[in-house]
Amino acid sequence: MSITIDTMPIICLLWIVVGVVFIIISVIRLANHQESDNHYVTLNKEQGQQTNDLEELFSYFLEEEEKKNQGFRDLLVNILRKQTDLEADHLQQSTKEHQKRQMTNEKLYDEIVKHYENGESIEMIAKNLKKGVGEVKLILSLYNMR
């Protein structure tokens, strides 16, 4: 089969037919592809809804954890307050005990000096007040230094 001028219009016509068939096939495929895109859009909408559901669920869990953490923070604050109150009470008690001891020591000092001025011996003062001889001597030496 050789191509001659007489067969040339047939070949062109054949090429035109092939082109038209190719265009028709392309249009059909494009139409099917657009339908597939609609399917993808539908899937994306469903995935978007699932994403929103997951975000809501995650937000719920975050809120619950925040409530637990707030309860833990409140517990810690209460413990710290109690500890501070206990330390303040202990400080007050220590101050009261210190003042009591100081008053007791002042009374002891006054008693020893009174007995000493009345002429009692150091041994007798220690025996009467149930204190050691060295303690009585120390208090009397402080009294004499005044």
Side-chain angles (χ1 to χ4, degrees):
M1 180 169 168
S2 70
I3 297 177
T4 62
I5 294 185
D6 294 336
T7 59
M8 188 62 119
I10 295 175
I11 293 177
C12 288
L13 187 60
L14 185 63
W15 276 109
I16 291 172
V17 170
V18 170
V20 170
V21 170
F22 182 73
I23 290 172
I24 292 172
I25 291 173
S26 298
V27 169
I28 292 172
R29 291 196 62 188
L30 183 63
N32 285 337
H33 184 69
Q34 286 178 348
E35 288 176 10
S36 298
D37 285 346
N38 289 339
H39 180 69
Y40 291 135
V41 170
T42 305
L43 286 178
N44 284 338
K45 287 180 182 177
E46 290 175 3
Q47 288 176 348
Q49 181 63 31
Q50 289 174 351
T51 302
N52 288 340
D53 292 345
L54 286 175
E55 287 176 357
E56 289 176 11
L57 183 63
F58 186 68
S59 296
Y60 172 76
F61 283 122
L62 283 178
E63 289 173 9
E64 290 298 315
E65 286 301 313
E66 184 60 33
K67 288 177 186 176
K68 289 178 187 175
N69 289 341
Q70 187 60 40
F72 184 67
R73 282 188 212 109
D74 293 343
L75 178 66
L76 285 176
V77 167
N78 287 338
I79 289 172
L80 290 174
R81 282 184 185 152
K82 286 179 183 179
Q83 185 178 4
T84 304
D85 292 344
L86 287 174
E87 289 173 356
D89 290 345
H90 180 68
L91 182 63
Q92 282 181 339
Q93 189 177 20
S94 296
T95 304
K96 286 179 182 178
E97 289 175 4
H98 178 69
Q99 289 173 347
K100 186 177 178 182
R101 271 189 255 122
Q102 189 174 4
M103 289 176 61
T104 305
N105 288 340
E106 289 174 3
K107 287 180 185 178
L108 177 65
Y109 179 82
D110 291 341
E111 286 288 318
I112 290 174
V113 169
K114 185 173 97 177
H115 286 286
Y116 181 71
E117 289 176 348
N118 287 338
E120 290 184 29
S121 70
I122 294 174
E123 288 81 16
M124 282 301 285
I125 296 171
K127 186 176 180 183
N128 289 338
L129 298 178
K130 297 179 183 175
K131 297 293 175 185
V133 175
E135 187 176 356
V136 173
K137 285 182 181 179
L138 175 65
I139 291 173
L140 289 176
S141 67
L142 291 174
Y143 172 72
N144 289 331
M145 289 175 68
R146 265 193 186 178

